[in-house]
């Protein structure tokens, strides 16, 4: 047994995840009613979600309390890249919808409330910012966590002794070590998650909603493999694919199966450390990206809204499509603060075409049906993009300073 454990530890984490993926899929087809296996996935995702708010809170406080001067420019660069990325995703989704128009088979409406307008989305975002800090950590409200961590971190920077700052550093390092232990269990968690997905959904979902899924996934792949690399190339003037593929492999795969940007924050933090990024910067930019870097959400909102318009015979012109892209961008940035994520923002986008809420909520029902695939792909490009653009902003700054970079 000892030799087996030593041999297992020598295998790279990605290969172990692939092994878990294959075993999980095989068991899901062979013994779909097995009661214990899904618990592995539940425990893994639960552990990541539990540690992530604490990790972000401690890392941001520690980083800012000891931050050196002059890192503000990198934060602004990351935010600009996040917003540009989300807007371009909406534009790409419009192009895909024009070239490959999809009509929907509407289902019964889902009984969930959706935001009535952009004002409600912005109000939710602002309310989350000033929520009680303990409540923010308990409910994984990352806007609130970031806000209070920044306030406490800056206060400690100017008021605390070096011993206090070192205590915060030790606490953040302890949280980081806990994350490493959890991530080492990823192969078993992925096994359980894949088993659940295969045993519960089978392959029938590809038949009923195949064209819609093809357009959604195709658009996300185009974004991940063409548009995002192009943005990175424009910023760095270097071959972007080593960085992009590394992030898709090490962040995108786990995000695909956990289907939670929040749960993937610890994974992204570890990847940033591997890339040699500045901890003072990525400890803030990664959780911020999990909140506002929502290119996958923008794609989902845009494609499903235009599919609804086509289904109802509504003509969509270019100016209206541009307005929809802007609306989807702003809405997507608020997706993490709204129950149901990006799907429940579809009725608001549909209101641009005067589509009734009853019909729009039927489209949300379609979204839930295909969610096992749509949400997985969406989370994968959202979360991997957080690391890509955090790295791009920092590497760009290093190039300006005349330093060498390597992915």
């Amino acid at each position: 047994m000892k030799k087996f454990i030593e041999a297992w530890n020598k295998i790279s984490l990605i290969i172990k995840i692939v092994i878990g993926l294959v075993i999980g899929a095989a068991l899901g087809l062979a013994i779909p009613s097995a009661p214990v296996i899904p618990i592995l996935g539940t425990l893994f995702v639960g552990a990541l979600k539990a540690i992530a708010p604490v990790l972000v809170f401690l890392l941001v406080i520690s980083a800012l309390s000891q931050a050196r001067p002059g890192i503000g420019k990198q934060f602004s660069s990351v935010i600009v890249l996040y917003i540009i990325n989300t807007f371009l995703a909406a534009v790409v989704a419009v192009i895909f919808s024009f070239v490959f128009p999809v009509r929907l088979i509407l289902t019964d409406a889902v009984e969930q409330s959706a935001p009535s307008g952009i004002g409600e989305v912005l109000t939710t975002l602002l309310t989350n910012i000033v929520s009680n800090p303990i409540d923010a950590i308990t409910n994984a409200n990352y806007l609130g966590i970031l806000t209070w961590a920044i306030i406490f971190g800056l206060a400690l920077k100017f008021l605390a002794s070096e011993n206090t700052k070192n205590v915060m550093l030790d606490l953040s390092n302890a949280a980081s070590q806990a994350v490493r232990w959890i991530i080492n269990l990823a192969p078993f968690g992925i096994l359980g998650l894949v088993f659940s997905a295969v045993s519960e959904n089978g392959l029938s979902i590809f038949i009923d909603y195949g064209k819609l899924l093809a357009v959604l996934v195709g658009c996300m792949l185009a974004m991940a493999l063409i548009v995002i690399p192009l943005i990175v190339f424009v910023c760095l003037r270097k071959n972007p694919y080593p960085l992009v593929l590394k992030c898709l492999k090490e962040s995108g795969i786990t995000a695909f199966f956990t289907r939670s940007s929040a749960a993937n924050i610890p994974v992204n933090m570890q990847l940033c450390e591997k890339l040699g990024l500045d901890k003072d910067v990525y400890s803030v930019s990664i959780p911020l990206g999990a909140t506002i870097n929502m290119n996958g959400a923008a794609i989902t909102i845009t494609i499903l809204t235009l599919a609804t318009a086509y289904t109802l015979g509504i003509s969509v012109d270019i100016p209206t499509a541009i307005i929809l892209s802007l609306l989807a961008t702003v809405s997507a940035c608020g997706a993490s603060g709204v129950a149901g994520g990006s799907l429940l923002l579809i009725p608001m986008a549909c209101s641009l075409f005067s589509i009734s809420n009853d019909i729009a909520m039927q489209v949300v029902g379609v979204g839930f049906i295909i969610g096992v695939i749509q949400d997985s792909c969406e989370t994968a490009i959202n979360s991997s993009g957080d690391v890509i653009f955090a790295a791009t902003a920092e590497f760009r700054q290093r190039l300006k300073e005349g330093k060498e970079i390597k992915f």
Side-chain angles (χ1 to χ4, degrees):
M1 179 61 71
K2 184 178 179 181
K3 290 183 178 179
F4 173 78
I5 294 174
E6 290 176 352
W8 175 257
N9 288 333
K10 290 179 181 179
I11 302 173
S12 74
L13 181 61
I14 296 299
I15 293 176
K16 287 190 284 190
I17 287 175
V18 171
I19 293 172
L21 190 158
V22 172
I23 295 174
L27 291 176
L29 292 172
I31 47 172
S33 59
V36 178
I37 299 175
I39 296 175
L40 296 174
T42 303
L43 291 175
F44 176 64
V45 175
L48 285 176
K49 285 184 175 180
I51 192 64
V54 178
L55 174 70
V56 169
F57 192 68
L58 292 174
L59 280 179
V60 173
I61 290 177
S62 176
L64 291 181
S65 67
Q66 304 178 68
R68 67 186 188 283
I71 64 173
K73 289 182 179 179
Q74 289 186 41
F75 286 130
S76 61
S77 297
V78 172
I79 292 172
V80 169
L81 287 172
Y82 285 161
I83 294 173
I84 289 174
N85 174 50
T86 303
F87 174 71
L88 288 178
V91 171
V92 171
V94 167
I95 295 171
F96 264 68
S97 293
F98 279 10
V99 177
F100 308 105
V102 177
R103 287 172 174 77
L104 303 175
I105 303 170
L106 296 181
T107 64
D108 294 332
V110 293
E111 296 181 1
Q112 286 180 268
S113 60
S116 58
I118 196 68
E120 187 175 340
V121 174
L122 294 176
T123 299
T124 301
L125 286 173
L126 294 174
T127 303
N128 284 340
I129 287 174
V130 295
S131 67
N132 181 289
I134 296 176
D135 181 70
I137 295 174
T138 302
N139 295 304
N141 165 19
Y142 285 95
L143 283 176
I145 292 170
L146 281 172
T147 300
W148 290 111
I150 288 170
I151 291 171
F152 290 140
L154 292 176
L156 287 172
K157 178 177 177 63
F158 295 111
L159 300 176
S161 66
E162 287 301 316
N163 287 337
T164 302
K165 293 178 183 179
N166 287 334
V167 169
M168 293 307 305
L169 178 61
D170 289 340
L171 287 173
S172 69
N173 287 338
S176 298
Q177 182 58 52
V179 166
R180 293 187 192 99
W181 289 335
I182 294 171
I183 291 175
N184 282 335
L185 299 174
F188 304 100
I190 296 295
L191 187 155
L193 292 168
V194 173
F195 175 89
S196 296
V198 172
S199 61
E200 292 173 10
N201 298 281
L203 303 176
S204 61
I205 192 172
F206 290 103
I207 300 171
D208 296 335
Y209 296 95
K211 186 175 181 181
L212 176 60
L213 281 169
V215 173
L216 279 167
V217 174
C219 187
M220 292 179 190
L221 285 173
M223 195 68 201
L225 299 176
I226 299 174
V227 179
I228 289 177
L230 184 60
I231 297 172
V232 176
F233 175 76
V234 169
C235 292
L236 302 181
R237 302 295 176 180
K238 289 183 178 292
N239 178 10
Y241 284 101
L243 174 63
V244 170
L245 295 177
K246 184 178 183 67
C247 292
L248 285 172
K249 182 177 72 172
E250 300 199 21
S251 171
I253 289 176
T254 53
F256 182 91
F257 290 107
T258 61
R259 294 171 60 188
S260 170
S261 294
N264 216 49
I265 287 175
V267 178
N268 283 349
M269 294 280 197
Q270 190 175 62
L271 177 54
C272 287
E273 185 179 352
K274 284 184 182 179
L275 290 170
L277 303 185
D278 188 339
K279 190 175 183 179
D280 290 350
V281 179
Y282 73 70
S283 61
V284 178
S285 62
I286 291 301
L288 182 63
T291 303
I292 67 171
N293 181 41
M294 291 288 174
N295 50 0
I299 289 170
T300 297
I301 293 167
T302 303
I303 286 180
L304 284 175
T305 299
L306 289 175
T308 309
Y310 295 146
T311 302
L312 299 177
I314 299 172
S315 178
V316 182
D317 55 24
I318 298 297
T320 305
I322 293 173
I323 295 172
L324 175 61
S325 298
L326 292 171
L327 180 62
T329 301
V330 177
S331 301
C333 291
S336 60
V338 179
S342 60
L343 294 176
L344 286 179
L345 293 167
I346 292 169
M348 184 182 63
C350 284
S351 68
L352 181 65
F353 301 97
S354 299
I355 297 170
S356 71
N357 192 61
D358 287 342
I359 294 176
M361 289 307 289
Q362 291 184 51
V363 179
V364 175
V366 173
F368 280 119
I369 291 172
I370 64 171
V372 67
I373 297 172
Q374 167 268 325
D375 194 37
S376 294
C377 294
E378 180 181 309
T379 308
I381 68 167
N382 282 344
S383 196
S384 60
D386 297 346
V387 182
I388 291 170
F389 292 118
T392 298
E394 182 164 334
F395 290 153
R396 187 167 184 264
Q397 183 62 32
R398 291 183 190 177
L399 288 174
K400 286 183 177 179
E401 295 170 357
K403 299 178 181 177
E404 289 291 326
I405 64 169
K406 60 179 181 178
F407 304 143

